[in-house]
Structures are given as C-alpha cells and as structure tokens.
Amino acid sequence: MKVKPGGKILLILLLLGGIYAAKVLWWDKRPQEAKAATDIGKVSLPDAPEASLSKNAVMMPLPGQDEALNGGTKIVWKIMAWNSQFPVMYANGGINTTKGSLLDKAKLQLTLERQDDCNKSVADMVKFAQEYKNNPNAPGVFASFMGDGMPMFFAALSKELEPLGPDYQPIAFYAMGKSYGEDKLMGPSDWKRDPKNALGKTVACVLRDGDMNILLKWAGDNGLRVNPDETSYDRNAVNLIAANDFLDAGNKYIAGYSESRKMIVDGKKVSRDTTVGVDGVATWTPGDVNVAQKKGGLVNIASTREYASQMPNITITIKKFAYDHRTDIENLIMALSQAGDQVRSFTEAKAFAADVSAKVYNEQNGAYWLKYYNGMEEKDAQGINVSLGGSMAFNLADAANLFGLGKDGLDRYKIVYNTFGDIIIKMYPELIPTYPVYNKVVDKSFLTSVVSNHPELLEGTAIKETYAPEITREVSSKSYEIQFETGSAVIKPASYTVLDEILKSAVVAEGLKLGVYGHTDNVGNDAANLKLSDSRAEAVKSYLISKGLSADRLESKGFGASKPIEDNATAEGRARNRRVQIVLGN
C-alpha cells in the first residue's frame, strides 16, 4: 500500500517523537560512569623572606625613557600580568627597550606584550617556530609561565611542535622570580577551620593551570578528593568550575555565576540535575584584589606565601633560536639577575619596575603594582582582613639554587616540575597521559655558563630561611612506615627510598621547619618505648642532615605509645601505631 506524502511526514514525525521520548525518559536517565574524584596525595611547599645586596651595594642609574635603537636581536616576550616579572620590567626600561637600560647595554631589543591566555601563548610559540624555520632573521618569541603549570604547558606545546623536528622543541632556560603570596586559593573561612567543609563545594579556576595546583596541593594535604569533571557535581569532593582566565575566575564569584550540573551518586553520573554556584576562587593579583574589593567574603585558604617553591616564573623559547643566539641568552640572564638585585635592594628600582608594569599591562598605575608586589593585608568589602598580592624577584644566586646549581646541588625546580606533572596526569590520564621529561625541556647550559664565568654576579645574597625553635603550627602531617632493626634505631636499607621521598618533600617545602616524631605501639615498658621512639626519630633526622638539610631546620621527638592512631588490641592497629610522623610547619 502506498502512503501519501502527508502520511509519510506524519510517520516520520511519530518516529522521531518516539526516539526523542526514549532518549529523555530512558537513555538520559540511565546511570552513567562518572570520572572518579582524584585523591591527590600530600604535597608540601615553602615560604621565604626577601634578600638584598650588602650595605655597600651601588644603585645603578635608572633606565631612560626614550626607546633604544641598538641594532640588537629583536625579541617579543609574551607575559602574564604577574608581579614576579619586576626584573624584566626594570631591565627593559619600558614596553620596548629604552636607552641606558640593562637590556640596551646587552644589545637586545625587547617588546613586552601582555598575554594572560595560556592557550594563545602556545599558539604564539608554534607560529614563531614555523616562521623561524623558514626565516632565521625572524624576531624571537619568549613566553613566561608558572613553574608548577609547566608540565601541562610543555605537553601541549611539544606535541604541536613535533612536526618541525627536535630542534624546534621548547626549552626553559631561566627564572626571574616567583609568586610569594599573590597566587592563592580563596574560600569561606570555615574551610580554614575545617578543610572538610570544602567537600561538596566549588572552586572557579583555569583548569589544569598553576593556580588550580594550589587547590590540588591543599586538598591533597588534607585528604580531600577533587572531582576532575567540570560538568558534574560530587558532594563528596571539591568540584571545579572552568574559567577562561584568572580574572574570569574571580569575576564568576563576584557576579554570582551559577550553572546546572549532573549529580554523581555512588560513583555514577545520574540524570538528576543540581545548580551550583561559585564558593571559592583560585586566582592571582589583580584577581584576588577584585574579589576582595568588589564582593569580599573569602579568605586565603592557601597561597604561594606558604607554598613558595611552587610557582617560579619560568622563561621559555624554541631550542633552535636559543642555540643560535647563545650569547644573547646569556647576556639576558646577566641583565635579569642584575635587575633582580636592584629591585630587591633599592626602593627606587622597585618603584620604577612597578611603573613599567602598569604600562605593559595597561592596567592601574605604578603605585598599585608596587603595593601588591610587596603584599598587603586589607579589609575586604565585608570588613574581613585578607592578604593580597606578594611576589619575589630573583638574583643569580636564587636562580642557581632553583635549578640545582647552588652549593647544595639540589634541583628544586625538578622536584616541583615532577610533583605537579605527576598530579596532573593522575587527574587527567586520558587528556594528559604523560608529560615531557624534565631534562629534555629544561636546559641549564645557559645559566651554568653565566654562573661559572661571572662570579661577580653571585654577590647578591640568596633567599635564606630562618626557622622557629619548634613547630607551633602544622601545615601538613603524614605518617611513614620506616623499618628499623628489631628493638633498635638502625634504619633498614629497604627504607632509604622512603627517606629520600621525605627529603624531596622537605626540599620543596624549604621555608618550613620539619618535625620528625617517633611513635611505638603499647607492647613493652613505657620508658623503653619512649626512649626507642626518640632514638628512631633522631636517626631519621640524622639521615636527612647527611643528605644536605640544615640541622637548625629539623626537630625530632619521641612519644612512645602515648599517641596511638589505631587500636593497639589488634596486630594491624599496633603496626599502624609503629610509625614515624613527618610534620611541616612553623
């Protein structure tokens, strides 16, 4: 039987209606596999005071205002609005290199361009590599990025540059400073009183970015899971709201942004929806200032004031350009290291760098950037005291210490890079299954040459920590199973790997005092247990000192069986109670 055209249309509509109804009433409502919230693990990072030149230091003449035309190598430097870049502001003298500046003397012509979008920085670097392969006279392109975010940045950029060959891969070659408080996780005050109050709440941030890492570190320290899927809501984890950039993260909180999410129930994404708003923000200056002044109500939960090794300002370019311009790169490092000493030592130099920052960022004025370089505590729009801003300029000694070229030989940045690289692939294994090996993307040859050939630039005092007599405030606490010979304080060789993990954590957390606390089960005499636990804690302390940690940074105590964490009535409980507890605090 033939069906008339009108009947065909009716049948088609009925069929489509049936399919749509099945989708809405059955398919969309079925439980779906949800991406498991990630248990980050604990990471501890440090704090550090500012250093300066000696009392006999000489202040250099400030750069001029007129643009330099020295005929030197041209470089366009893509930078975020970030106060850790005061050295390049001072060294360049302006948006473009000015007469009499350190970079003018180095025969370099830099143009500083604000670029807050990391994805666009990747695109800029790829475009430069393509142009440079075809035209060796093309101006160089540099980019600066947050050190803890570099594994993600390098993973994306390296993949994009693969077709051009190994000579056109990206490399990191210097760090001119670091965040020292301005990058932070801001949240309600009850998160600080009890971190578990953050479960079921949301944080707006740039996904897989350096500031998100502050949230991940804080969550890991406190045993909180983080839901990596920004389209779902898990009441048993901290949830993420994607922001376009660090300013957008704060603006979403200020504007009262909300969105609909699929709920996770028993590990499954179900059809039920819920509406979530922005409870917390991960951002940096001026994002934190905007949050405080325009709405308020959030306090600093964790920042690079505490985690001060987490976020050095890492400079990158293409390997081929760097090797073709080795002298220029080394001259740049020399200029930036001198600028770091000047900024750290002289108020006039620091104020000059702030004025240049305002011009480059095209936002606020020099007084604003100077204020938040130093860091301030202010009352927010709701009358709550909150710390805002805070950065640090590096001199040559600081850069050497960061990359393992200092006296102790500890490569601090390698620890940071691998720590946060491992976290990000744990959270996003499908998106980022791996990240580039540290030694392939960090090229220390330029810095090594400057350190070896210019000892006069190492006269500036490196950042040096001072430690309290004992820990009164814990930042993190973790127990380790360290094996000792029966009834003694002799560490078994099998535990050296565990001790080396503690050492790495301590190196990253360089500004915090480290406590080594020994505990036993309740078997045996109380006095003997107390003595044994004390001896074992002292043995761990001695091992860490032998590996390079300063004695004044470490404290050790034995508590015997007085602080059990499990029931001593079971063998499993007694095994848990026999432990060495590592505390980082101040």
Side-chain angles (χ1 to χ4, degrees):
M1 181 179 68
K2 291 184 179 180
V3 180
K4 295 181 179 180
K8 289 183 180 180
I9 294 173
L10 179 62
L11 287 174
I12 291 171
L13 290 174
L14 289 173
L15 178 61
L16 292 175
I19 293 172
Y20 177 76
K23 177 182 183 298
V24 172
L25 298 176
W26 171 69
W27 182 261
D28 287 350
K29 291 186 179 295
R30 82 198 194 288
Q32 302 175 49
E33 289 294 329
K35 196 163 187 176
T38 306
D39 184 358
I40 303 301
K42 298 185 185 299
V43 184
S44 299
L45 302 162
D47 185 14
E50 190 169 3
S52 65
L53 293 171
S54 69
K55 291 184 292 186
N56 297 324
V58 176
M59 179 178 165
M60 295 179 176
L62 293 175
Q65 298 295 317
D66 296 331
E67 186 174 339
L69 299 171
N70 56 46
T73 301
K74 293 183 178 180
I75 297 169
V76 178
W77 199 325
K78 308 286 185 173
I79 58 176
M80 296 174 280
W82 184 10
N83 273 327
S84 64
Q85 291 154 159
F86 266 30
V88 76
M89 301 299 180
Y90 174 90
N92 207 43
I95 295 175
N96 297 301
T97 306
T98 64
K99 290 181 179 179
S101 66
L102 286 168
L103 292 180
D104 182 29
K105 295 173 184 176
K107 299 301 181 194
L108 293 169
Q109 292 195 195
L110 260 65
T111 297
L112 301 176
E113 292 185 0
R114 178 174 178 173
Q115 178 54 271
D116 295 333
D117 189 322
C118 302
N119 292 325
K120 289 182 180 177
S121 291
V122 170
D124 290 339
M125 196 63 67
V126 172
K127 181 180 178 183
F128 162 59
Q130 292 168 340
E131 290 177 351
Y132 190 69
K133 189 166 187 176
N134 295 322
N135 176 19
N137 294 317
V141 174
F142 291 0
S144 290
F145 202 73
M146 294 173 282
D148 58 326
M150 288 306 298
M152 173 66 186
F153 188 82
F154 271 137
L157 183 53
S158 296
K159 185 175 182 180
E160 290 290 328
L161 292 173
E162 275 181 2
L164 299 179
D167 287 345
Y168 292 87
Q169 283 291 299
I171 59 167
F173 63 86
Y174 192 64
M176 74 177 87
K178 66 179 179 181
S179 177
Y180 184 51
E182 65 172 297
D183 291 82
K184 63 193 59 174
L185 167 64
M186 306 178 77
S189 58
D190 66 350
W191 293 11
K192 202 157 192 171
R193 288 194 299 270
D194 183 357
K196 289 184 176 60
N197 289 324
L199 293 175
K201 300 299 192 295
T202 64
V203 174
C205 60
V206 180
L207 299 183
R208 297 172 292 279
D209 187 51
D211 286 334
M212 176 179 153
N213 283 336
I214 297 176
L215 164 64
L216 300 184
K217 176 257 178 285
W218 177 77
D221 275 355
N222 292 286
L224 308 179
R225 294 184 307 125
V226 176
N227 175 16
D229 179 10
E230 70 274 17
T231 68
S232 66
Y233 170 77
D234 187 343
R235 64 184 178 183
N236 296 312
V238 182
N239 298 275
L240 304 173
I241 289 182
N244 296 322
D245 56 45
F246 76 105
L247 293 174
D248 182 49
N251 290 339
K252 277 182 162 57
Y253 169 75
I254 294 166
Y257 174 85
S258 64
E259 63 185 38
S260 180
R261 294 279 183 95
K262 295 295 182 184
M263 294 184 67
I264 292 177
V265 179
D266 296 327
K268 302 283 186 181
K269 189 189 294 186
V270 299
S271 62
R272 282 205 310 275
D273 288 349
T274 188
T275 300
V276 299
V278 178
D279 301 303
V281 176
T283 186
W284 80 86
T285 306
D288 61 341
V289 179
N290 292 344
V291 166
Q293 293 180 349
K294 295 181 180 180
K295 187 172 184 177
L298 302 182
V299 300
N300 290 349
I301 305 301
S303 78
T304 50
R305 186 83 180 191
E306 295 82 24
Y307 311 156
S309 280
Q310 178 175 333
M311 205 172 288
N313 186 308
I314 300 297
T315 299
I316 75 165
T317 190
I318 300 304
K319 181 179 180 180
K320 175 71 169 147
F321 180 87
Y323 276 63
D324 287 345
H325 297 84
R326 178 170 288 276
T327 299
D328 289 327
I329 298 292
E330 292 180 10
N331 286 339
L332 173 66
I333 290 173
M334 292 167 64
L336 292 176
S337 65
Q338 288 177 289
D341 269 328
Q342 291 292 304
V343 166
R344 287 239 293 265
S345 303
F346 303 105
T347 301
E348 296 93 331
K350 190 184 293 186
F352 180 87
D355 287 338
V356 176
S357 297
K359 296 174 184 176
V360 173
Y361 303 148
N362 193 29
E363 186 172 351
Q364 302 292 339
N365 55 31
Y368 176 94
W369 295 104
L370 177 61
K371 176 181 179 180
Y372 293 115
Y373 171 91
N374 293 326
M376 299 291 294
E377 184 169 291
E378 300 176 354
K379 287 190 180 298
D380 70 5
Q382 298 185 29
I384 300 171
N385 285 332
V386 60
S387 295
L388 303 171
S391 278
M392 182 79 70
F394 275 179
N395 60 21
L396 187 60
D398 295 314
N401 286 340
L402 177 71
F403 289 106
L405 303 177
K407 292 180 180 178
D408 59 16
L410 292 171
D411 194 331
R412 291 157 174 82
Y413 184 52
K414 185 175 183 179
I415 292 171
V416 170
Y417 180 87
N418 289 333
T419 294
F420 289 99
D422 290 346
I423 287 176
I424 209 73
I425 62 174
K426 185 177 181 181
M427 282 198 70
Y428 301 99
E430 298 90 359
L431 182 63
I432 313 162
T434 187
Y435 60 94
V437 176
Y438 178 79
N439 291 338
K440 288 188 176 181
V441 290
V442 176
D443 192 322
K444 296 187 274 189
S445 64
F446 306 94
L447 180 59
T448 299
S449 176
V450 174
V451 169
S452 300
N453 296 316
H454 296 278
E456 74 280 2
L457 297 180
L458 291 167
E459 293 178 0
T461 303
I463 295 167
K464 183 174 174 55
E465 308 298 336
T466 56
Y467 302 103
E470 62 180 5
I471 294 173
T472 57
R473 184 182 70 90
E474 292 186 6
V475 173
S476 67
S477 176
K478 187 175 183 180
S479 294
Y480 292 84
E481 293 183 9
I482 299 172
Q483 299 178 11
F484 297 88
E485 297 293 342
T486 304
S488 81
V490 177
I491 301 170
K492 289 186 175 181
S495 289
Y496 289 160
T497 300
V498 177
L499 293 175
D500 288 339
E501 287 300 314
I502 295 171
L503 175 69
K504 292 176 184 177
S505 178
V507 168
V508 177
E510 199 162 14
L512 299 175
K513 196 173 182 74
L514 188 146
V516 183
Y517 306 138
H519 302 270
T520 68
D521 58 27
N522 67 347
V523 176
N525 179 275
D526 285 347
N529 282 337
L530 182 63
K531 182 178 180 181
L532 180 61
S533 66
D534 193 66
S535 298
R536 288 179 169 179
E538 183 65 31
V540 173
K541 174 183 173 181
S542 297
Y543 180 88
L544 296 174
I545 291 173
S546 74
K547 292 294 184 177
L549 297 190
S550 60
D552 65 336
R553 186 186 172 190
L554 297 166
E555 68 178 32
S556 65
K557 297 178 184 178
F559 292 95
S562 64
K563 294 188 175 184
I565 56 174
E566 296 287 347
D567 189 349
N568 275 309
T570 66
E572 293 81 6
R574 290 191 295 274
R576 291 284 310 279
N577 290 332
R578 296 189 297 269
R579 69 196 189 278
V580 172
Q581 181 187 13
I582 301 297
V583 171
L584 289 162
N586 47 33

PDB file of all heavy atoms in Angstrom, residues 267-278:
ATOM      1  N   GLY A 267      29.249   7.003  42.701  1.00  0.00           N
ATOM      2  CA  GLY A 267      30.243   6.903  41.635  1.00  0.00           C
ATOM      3  C   GLY A 267      29.679   6.940  40.235  1.00  0.00           C
ATOM      4  O   GLY A 267      30.426   6.814  39.266  1.00  0.00           O
ATOM      5  N   LYS A 268      28.354   7.143  40.094  1.00  0.00           N
ATOM      6  CA  LYS A 268      27.715   7.184  38.783  1.00  0.00           C
ATOM      7  C   LYS A 268      27.145   8.574  38.525  1.00  0.00           C
ATOM      8  O   LYS A 268      26.574   9.209  39.413  1.00  0.00           O
ATOM      9  CB  LYS A 268      26.575   6.160  38.709  1.00  0.00           C
ATOM     10  CG  LYS A 268      26.990   4.726  38.984  1.00  0.00           C
ATOM     11  CD  LYS A 268      27.683   4.106  37.808  1.00  0.00           C
ATOM     12  CE  LYS A 268      27.952   2.614  38.049  1.00  0.00           C
ATOM     13  NZ  LYS A 268      28.647   1.998  36.907  1.00  0.00           N
ATOM     14  N   LYS A 269      27.289   9.047  37.285  1.00  0.00           N
ATOM     15  CA  LYS A 269      26.673  10.303  36.886  1.00  0.00           C
ATOM     16  C   LYS A 269      25.227  10.003  36.520  1.00  0.00           C
ATOM     17  O   LYS A 269      24.964   9.257  35.585  1.00  0.00           O
ATOM     18  CB  LYS A 269      27.409  10.914  35.704  1.00  0.00           C
ATOM     19  CG  LYS A 269      26.953  12.336  35.368  1.00  0.00           C
ATOM     20  CD  LYS A 269      27.548  12.836  34.063  1.00  0.00           C
ATOM     21  CE  LYS A 269      29.035  13.000  34.133  1.00  0.00           C
ATOM     22  NZ  LYS A 269      29.573  13.634  32.886  1.00  0.00           N
ATOM     23  N   VAL A 270      24.285  10.564  37.257  1.00  0.00           N
ATOM     24  CA  VAL A 270      22.876  10.251  37.056  1.00  0.00           C
ATOM     25  C   VAL A 270      22.170  11.420  36.393  1.00  0.00           C
ATOM     26  O   VAL A 270      22.745  12.490  36.181  1.00  0.00           O
ATOM     27  CB  VAL A 270      22.198   9.905  38.408  1.00  0.00           C
ATOM     28  CG1 VAL A 270      22.847   8.681  39.029  1.00  0.00           C
ATOM     29  CG2 VAL A 270      22.267  11.087  39.368  1.00  0.00           C
ATOM     30  N   SER A 271      20.891  11.218  36.069  1.00  0.00           N
ATOM     31  CA  SER A 271      20.161  12.221  35.304  1.00  0.00           C
ATOM     32  C   SER A 271      19.737  13.412  36.150  1.00  0.00           C
ATOM     33  O   SER A 271      19.384  14.454  35.617  1.00  0.00           O
ATOM     34  CB  SER A 271      18.927  11.581  34.657  1.00  0.00           C
ATOM     35  OG  SER A 271      18.047  11.089  35.654  1.00  0.00           O
ATOM     36  N   ARG A 272      19.747  13.255  37.474  1.00  0.00           N
ATOM     37  CA  ARG A 272      19.311  14.360  38.331  1.00  0.00           C
ATOM     38  C   ARG A 272      20.257  15.536  38.202  1.00  0.00           C
ATOM     39  O   ARG A 272      21.475  15.377  38.233  1.00  0.00           O
ATOM     40  CB  ARG A 272      19.256  13.923  39.801  1.00  0.00           C
ATOM     41  CG  ARG A 272      18.043  13.109  40.146  1.00  0.00           C
ATOM     42  CD  ARG A 272      17.704  13.213  41.623  1.00  0.00           C
ATOM     43  NE  ARG A 272      18.820  12.983  42.502  1.00  0.00           N
ATOM     44  CZ  ARG A 272      19.225  11.790  42.899  1.00  0.00           C
ATOM     45  NH1 ARG A 272      18.633  10.712  42.433  1.00  0.00           N
ATOM     46  NH2 ARG A 272      20.225  11.673  43.743  1.00  0.00           N
ATOM     47  N   ASP A 273      19.684  16.718  38.091  1.00  0.00           N
ATOM     48  CA  ASP A 273      20.476  17.935  37.981  1.00  0.00           C
ATOM     49  C   ASP A 273      20.486  18.682  39.306  1.00  0.00           C
ATOM     50  O   ASP A 273      19.574  18.542  40.122  1.00  0.00           O
ATOM     51  CB  ASP A 273      19.899  18.870  36.900  1.00  0.00           C
ATOM     52  CG  ASP A 273      20.137  18.341  35.499  1.00  0.00           C
ATOM     53  OD1 ASP A 273      20.919  17.389  35.361  1.00  0.00           O
ATOM     54  OD2 ASP A 273      19.529  18.877  34.557  1.00  0.00           O
ATOM     55  N   THR A 274      21.519  19.468  39.491  1.00  0.00           N
ATOM     56  CA  THR A 274      21.578  20.389  40.613  1.00  0.00           C
ATOM     57  C   THR A 274      22.223  21.676  40.130  1.00  0.00           C
ATOM     58  O   THR A 274      22.969  21.673  39.145  1.00  0.00           O
ATOM     59  CB  THR A 274      22.362  19.798  41.796  1.00  0.00           C
ATOM     60  OG1 THR A 274      22.234  20.674  42.928  1.00  0.00           O
ATOM     61  CG2 THR A 274      23.840  19.634  41.456  1.00  0.00           C
ATOM     62  N   THR A 275      21.951  22.754  40.782  1.00  0.00           N
ATOM     63  CA  THR A 275      22.542  24.043  40.432  1.00  0.00           C
ATOM     64  C   THR A 275      23.659  24.372  41.412  1.00  0.00           C
ATOM     65  O   THR A 275      23.470  24.272  42.630  1.00  0.00           O
ATOM     66  CB  THR A 275      21.486  25.164  40.456  1.00  0.00           C
ATOM     67  OG1 THR A 275      20.459  24.852  39.512  1.00  0.00           O
ATOM     68  CG2 THR A 275      22.114  26.509  40.100  1.00  0.00           C
ATOM     69  N   VAL A 276      24.819  24.723  40.876  1.00  0.00           N
ATOM     70  CA  VAL A 276      25.959  25.075  41.721  1.00  0.00           C
ATOM     71  C   VAL A 276      26.393  26.503  41.441  1.00  0.00           C
ATOM     72  O   VAL A 276      26.287  26.985  40.313  1.00  0.00           O
ATOM     73  CB  VAL A 276      27.152  24.114  41.499  1.00  0.00           C
ATOM     74  CG1 VAL A 276      26.769  22.689  41.842  1.00  0.00           C
ATOM     75  CG2 VAL A 276      27.671  24.193  40.072  1.00  0.00           C
ATOM     76  N   GLY A 277      26.841  27.173  42.475  1.00  0.00           N
ATOM     77  CA  GLY A 277      27.422  28.497  42.335  1.00  0.00           C
ATOM     78  C   GLY A 277      28.915  28.422  42.588  1.00  0.00           C
ATOM     79  O   GLY A 277      29.491  27.338  42.671  1.00  0.00           O
ATOM     80  N   VAL A 278      29.555  29.574  42.715  1.00  0.00           N
ATOM     81  CA  VAL A 278      31.000  29.635  42.961  1.00  0.00           C
ATOM     82  C   VAL A 278      31.227  29.878  44.443  1.00  0.00           C
ATOM     83  O   VAL A 278      30.867  30.927  44.973  1.00  0.00           O
ATOM     84  CB  VAL A 278      31.650  30.759  42.124  1.00  0.00           C
ATOM     85  CG1 VAL A 278      33.143  30.834  42.428  1.00  0.00           C
ATOM     86  CG2 VAL A 278      31.415  30.528  40.641  1.00  0.00           C
TER      87      VAL A 278
END
